[in-house]
Amino acid sequence: MGHFDFGMVGLGVMGRNLLLNMADHDFSVAGLDLDAEKAASLEKEADAKHDIKGTTDAKEFIQLLKKPRAIMLLVPAGKPVDSVINSLLPYLEEGDIMVDGGNSYFEDTNRRVKELNAKGINYFGMGISGGEKGARFGPSMMPGGNENAYDRLRPIFEAVAAKVNGEPCVTYLGSSSAGNYVKMVHNGIEYAIMQLIAETYDVLKRGFNFEDDELQQVFESWNQGELQSYLVEITAAILKKDDDITGKRLVSLISDTAKSKGTGKWTSQNAMDIQAPVPSIDLAVNMRDISKYKEERVQASKTYTWNGDAKDLSNENVTALFKDAFYFAMVTIYAQGMAQLTIASKEFDYGLNLEEVAKIWRGGCIIRAAVLEDFRNAYKANKELPNLLLDKNLAKGLNKHQKAMREVVKIGIDKGIPMSVYGVTLSYFDAYRSETLPTNLIQAQRDYFGAHTYERIDKEGIFHTEW
Ligand code: 6PG
């Protein structure tokens, strides 16, 4: 029977790259793709050091693999995953393992876990982050599924994952769809941080007339300190790039209408279902949606003008202010996403360990950032920490930068430049740190018009008033 350590279905860029990454780490690998060219091109990579086989035939593919078989699917989320599963099922045997490495919706994974576990197949949903380069040279991987079966996958995944101080950016996260859920929230945080960066770029450019080179330098310098992160790093690189045709900065020639595949929206949708407030992520999704109404925006821009201005600040002072505010916002965004994971873990019985999540997000993934080390330490100090905002060490940094955050939000309001994620992130913070909220009035209103009853602060029980 077969001797190949690992099989990949779907030899697009991600699948191919991850498989080559495994081959570089001395695992023998087989790939299946209906496209004969892709299968052949994978096999061309085989040599004395790399044991690689490509095929277009499902039965042959299964026979190539060592038992219990470890197979990963890297095909588009949705129906393609189900059809690949159905095409392989007749050849699989009890104990075989299937790992869906795409951005699948977590409820789909729950269904597949049930269906396949009933047939004796161990099914995993695993988020993979880091794009094409990550897959080739070290992604962050977020697997969830049957813990016993993970031992078969562990050596391969730990070998190919990104490493931070020698520690691999992969770990078994939890049961059923835990891996897809963690990846979904990863993407929600990704949306919010990207929007935060975009707002910073916008206000510095439109509000303070920063030149392209100055903007680029701002992000480059931020990437050296406490804001060090992949998204800040690539922003600096993007801002430097000239267009080959016009010689202008490429970014200024790109349409301002956003596209998305939907994982950010799923994060917000499910956050609402489980009552986990993540307004910064919600707003980031909203802002991509608003960007789509270009014609209406052009029309409204002529109807509503605003000539307000904020106080005059030197470029140096603005940069310093925004640097502090950015740190504040960044931490508060992660705090929301990670609190969602804590709530989801209870709701769905995932058994997540947030210290481990912070650990595997430190490298390889799109939201990797220096500050993740502090988050890891916060969860190490207190496994039950409900929200990063309650960690004493992080609180020191937030308190230090709180004033800058308020100043920056005021600047956006005065200048009439949308800084929605900055604004809502500060509101989340202010609500979270409010001992009292005006929800007493909302409770009274509900009771007034709908007899929905209310609770009192001075007596036990449920009350209704004839208002
Ligand atoms: C990653 C990315 C990856 C992908 C997103 C883009 O972690 O490597 O998040 O999963 O680039 O799906 O998402 P949108 O198309 O929704 O922006």
Side-chain angles (χ1 to χ4, degrees):
M1 278 316 259
H3 74 272
F4 285 85
D5 297 313
F6 199 87
M8 176 74 69
V9 183
L11 299 176
V13 191
M14 289 294 285
R16 177 191 162 86
N17 280 0
L18 197 56
L19 217 48
L20 294 178
N21 184 351
M22 290 176 185
D24 280 348
H25 288 89
D26 299 331
F27 294 101
S28 51
V29 295
L32 170 70
D33 201 293
L34 296 181
D35 182 340
E37 246 175 63
K38 284 189 180 142
S41 137
L42 174 76
E43 205 166 301
K44 270 199 200 125
E45 302 284 341
D47 57 28
K49 277 198 184 146
H50 300 94
D51 190 5
I52 303 175
K53 174 97 187 129
T55 175
T56 55
D57 183 84
K59 192 172 173 193
E60 185 197 352
F61 170 71
I62 296 295
Q63 284 171 350
L64 288 169
L65 303 173
K66 184 195 279 177
K67 292 184 195 177
R69 301 177 181 93
I71 301 167
M72 188 185 291
L73 321 182
L74 261 171
V75 298
K79 286 206 177 101
V81 176
D82 289 310
S83 56
V84 169
I85 293 172
N86 290 333
S87 70
L88 297 183
L89 255 183
Y91 312 114
L92 294 179
E93 286 167 88
E94 224 168 276
D96 286 347
I97 304 168
M98 236 190 220
V99 185
D100 172 13
N103 274 332
S104 284
Y105 186 53
F106 75 99
E107 296 281 25
D108 287 343
T109 299
N110 285 336
R111 167 176 59 77
R112 291 170 188 143
V113 164
K114 258 199 207 136
E115 286 168 7
L116 288 154
N117 281 359
K119 294 182 163 69
I121 311 293
N122 295 299
Y123 191 81
F124 283 76
M126 177 165 85
I128 303 180
S129 181
E132 299 169 13
K133 261 203 182 152
R136 185 68 185 86
F137 301 109
S140 172
M141 306 201 281
M142 299 153 237
N146 181 346
E147 191 168 10
N148 297 332
Y150 186 65
D151 281 343
R152 166 79 172 84
L153 304 170
R154 188 197 309 274
I156 305 178
F157 289 176
E158 289 189 352
V160 300
K163 310 278 180 312
V164 176
N165 304 328
E167 292 177 303
C169 295
V170 62
T171 192
Y172 171 79
L173 286 175
S175 57
S176 62
S177 57
N180 288 123
Y181 200 96
V182 169
K183 176 59 173 35
M184 178 183 83
V185 172
H186 165 286
N187 281 30
I189 295 171
E190 174 184 301
Y191 271 52
I193 306 267
M194 286 166 77
Q195 177 64 27
L196 187 72
I197 293 175
E199 289 174 6
T200 309
Y201 158 79
D202 194 23
V203 77
L204 294 185
K205 194 176 168 76
R206 280 205 287 153
F208 290 99
N209 304 314
F210 274 56
E211 301 289 342
D212 290 334
D213 284 335
E214 290 171 316
L215 281 166
Q216 189 265 326
Q217 279 156 18
V218 167
F219 287 102
E220 202 162 280
S221 69
W222 285 4
N223 195 42
Q224 310 307 317
E226 64 182 357
L227 301 184
Q228 193 283 317
S229 56
Y230 176 71
L231 286 169
V232 167
E233 177 194 326
I234 64 163
T235 303
I238 288 168
L239 291 171
K240 206 165 26 186
K241 180 83 180 156
D242 288 330
D243 174 40
D244 292 341
I245 307 162
T246 61
K248 292 183 184 161
R249 287 293 149 105
L250 181 55
V251 69
S252 63
L253 298 168
I254 295 180
S255 139
D256 63 353
T257 305
K259 297 275 189 309
S260 55
K261 287 190 185 141
T263 41
K265 180 185 75 179
W266 291 345
T267 311
S268 284
Q269 283 175 328
N270 192 258
M272 294 231 178
D273 285 343
I274 62 171
Q275 297 177 21
V278 290
S280 304
I281 298 173
D282 302 339
L283 230 307
V285 176
N286 291 165
M287 292 312 285
R288 287 201 193 185
D289 291 341
I290 289 181
S291 82
K292 297 188 174 117
Y293 295 88
K294 178 76 177 180
E295 271 179 38
E296 289 176 44
R297 286 194 284 119
V298 170
Q299 211 179 320
S301 73
K302 302 199 168 84
T303 312
Y304 303 105
T305 52
W306 175 252
N307 295 320
D309 207 358
K311 54 182 175 190
D312 211 14
L313 287 166
S314 71
N315 280 12
E316 213 182 353
N317 287 345
V318 179
T319 308
L321 200 59
F322 271 83
K323 183 177 183 229
D324 290 350
F326 192 95
Y327 174 86
F328 183 102
M330 182 160 95
V331 171
T332 309
I333 287 168
Y334 278 97
Q336 294 166 59
M338 297 195 87
Q340 176 174 355
L341 288 180
T342 301
I343 296 165
S345 183
K346 288 196 190 107
E347 180 80 20
F348 304 124
D349 230 354
Y350 285 145
L352 290 180
N353 175 338
L354 273 280
E355 184 191 335
E356 293 286 296
V357 173
K359 180 179 132 188
I360 65 166
W361 281 356
R362 290 175 311 150
C365 66
I366 305 296
I367 63 166
R368 62 183 184 256
V371 77
L372 258 314
E373 192 69 53
D374 299 338
F375 299 163
R376 181 193 187 186
N377 289 332
Y379 287 113
K380 189 188 270 177
N382 179 4
K383 284 219 172 316
E384 304 303 321
L385 189 68
N387 192 305
L388 287 170
L389 296 186
L390 295 178
D391 175 72
K392 289 208 172 65
N393 287 324
L394 288 167
K396 277 184 209 147
L398 290 171
N399 272 326
K400 203 165 92 194
H401 298 327
Q402 196 184 146
K403 189 165 187 299
M405 182 71 175
R406 295 187 190 283
E407 290 296 321
V408 156
V409 171
K410 275 188 246 171
I411 287 173
I413 292 169
D414 288 342
K415 288 192 178 284
I417 294 175
M419 293 180 59
S420 336
V421 165
Y422 272 103
V424 84
T425 302
L426 181 58
S427 292
Y428 170 84
F429 172 82
D430 278 336
Y432 193 76
R433 65 171 196 91
S434 285
E435 192 181 334
T436 56
L437 287 171
T439 327
N440 52 336
L441 180 56
I442 291 171
Q443 287 304 94
Q445 289 163 336
R446 291 177 70 244
D447 190 57
Y448 187 108
F449 62 64
H452 294 300
T453 73
Y454 56 88
E455 288 166 44
R456 297 176 60 110
I457 55 171
D458 55 350
K459 280 185 210 164
E460 287 286 313
I462 304 289
F463 298 87
H464 167 60
T465 296
E466 287 303 322
W467 296 87

